[in-house]
């Protein structure tokens, strides 16, 4: 298991094998959550809206969400379901 350090600015460098395994590139966004005393970091893949909607139950039309915030919350819920938490 790779080890990294927390900088004085609170930054963490993900080791190259981890970045490579997940296909992460500079500028990619990551979900960061604290669960039961552990840090969980999940890549937030940049996807087209149609790809996100296609994975949601019933493939509901885009207008259902009403706002970018509502779509973002739907994507968060999808990530929670995928990771089982």
């Amino acid at each position: 298991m790779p080890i990294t350090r927390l900088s004085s600015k609170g930054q963490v460098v993900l080791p190259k094998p981890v970045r490579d395994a997940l296909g992460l590139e500079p500028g990619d966004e990551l979900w960061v959550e604290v669960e039961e005393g552990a840090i969980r970091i999940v890549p937030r893949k940049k996807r087209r809206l149609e790809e996100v909607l296609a994975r949601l139950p019933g493939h509901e039309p885009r207008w259902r969400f009403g706002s970018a915030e509502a779509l973002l919350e739907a994507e968060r819920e999808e990530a929670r379901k995928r990771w089982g938490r």
Side-chain angles (χ1 to χ4, degrees):
M1 177 179 295
I3 295 176
T4 190
R5 293 180 193 263
L6 184 66
S7 78
S8 61
K9 294 182 179 182
Q11 298 168 327
V12 173
V13 174
L14 297 177
K16 185 163 177 25
V18 173
R19 295 189 314 264
D20 290 346
L22 295 173
L24 296 174
E25 298 176 355
D28 284 353
E29 293 182 341
L30 306 167
W31 300 109
V32 180
E33 299 177 337
V34 176
E35 291 185 358
E36 300 175 14
I39 300 168
R40 191 173 94 181
I41 301 173
V42 180
R44 180 174 179 251
K45 295 292 182 182
K46 297 174 186 167
R47 297 183 294 220
R48 292 187 357 233
L49 180 60
E50 294 78 17
E51 293 172 355
V52 172
L53 293 175
R55 299 181 68 175
L56 296 173
H59 184 73
E60 311 220 13
R62 169 170 57 191
W63 52 264
R64 172 185 175 268
F65 296 99
S67 69
E69 291 79 17
L71 178 59
L72 184 57
E73 183 54 38
E75 190 176 41
R76 283 186 186 125
E77 184 60 30
E78 176 191 348
R80 285 185 199 107
K81 288 178 184 176
R82 177 186 298 165
W83 293 95
R85 297 186 189 220

